[in-house]
Amino acid sequence: MAQFQESQQGGQTEKSKYSWLKQIVAIIAVVAVIALVFGRRSGKSTMKLSADDSGITMTYEDFSLSIVYDEIEEIQLMDELESGTCLSGGTIGDYQYGEYESEDLGEYTLCITSKADNYLLVKRTDGTCAVFNWSGTQDTSALYDGILEVLNGQ
């Protein structure tokens, strides 16, 4: 009779170990998912800007927007942006990016941060449009001036 009680207690201890282990694994999985979601939504990533003789490229996460100087038909510095419908892309933290559509612009590519209060609108020779800004209002204005300088020098 004593042996039966020991094995029964041993069986409960074994089940308790597995139950405890399953709980630990579940907690680790939940923490990992929360960290992943919070990390992507916190806006810790930044938009990157690179420029060369042919144009500029803005990159955020897996999204990239390239503006080739020779393809710019018109460029405007705007203080307001009409709200558009997101076709693909999205918003993460301070950044909004992707393919959008609005009544005024039709389909356009967007790459902006909410840290800037102004936007650049580029109309390309192929009829496509891009709306973007940089890390702040003054930086966006400086980017606009720089692009104008390059275009006027061509």
Side-chain angles (χ1 to χ4, degrees), residues 22-122:
K22 286 179 183 178
Q23 289 174 351
I24 294 294
V25 169
I27 289 169
I28 291 171
V30 168
V31 169
V33 168
I34 289 171
L36 179 65
V37 170
F38 180 74
R40 288 194 48 90
R41 299 280 182 219
S42 68
K44 296 288 182 191
S45 296
T46 58
M47 210 181 322
K48 294 174 179 65
L49 174 70
S50 58
D52 59 25
D53 293 343
S54 63
I56 63 169
T57 300
M58 301 185 79
T59 310
Y60 179 73
E61 298 283 327
D62 296 336
F63 180 79
S64 181
L65 166 64
S66 294
I67 306 290
V68 177
Y69 298 132
D70 288 343
E71 296 175 0
I72 297 175
E73 184 175 299
E74 181 183 341
I75 185 168
Q76 297 174 24
L77 181 62
M78 307 182 322
D79 290 327
E80 292 183 20
L81 179 62
E82 175 192 336
S83 175
T85 302
C86 181
L87 303 175
S88 66
T91 302
I92 297 178
D94 294 328
Y95 302 99
Q96 192 174 354
Y97 60 94
E99 300 300 321
Y100 284 72
E101 183 176 40
S102 72
E103 267 187 48
D104 287 348
L105 299 175
E107 287 188 26
Y108 62 97
T109 305
L110 181 76
C111 191
I112 61 172
T113 175
S114 61
K115 296 176 184 176
D117 295 327
N118 53 1
Y119 312 91
L120 299 180
L121 167 63
V122 169

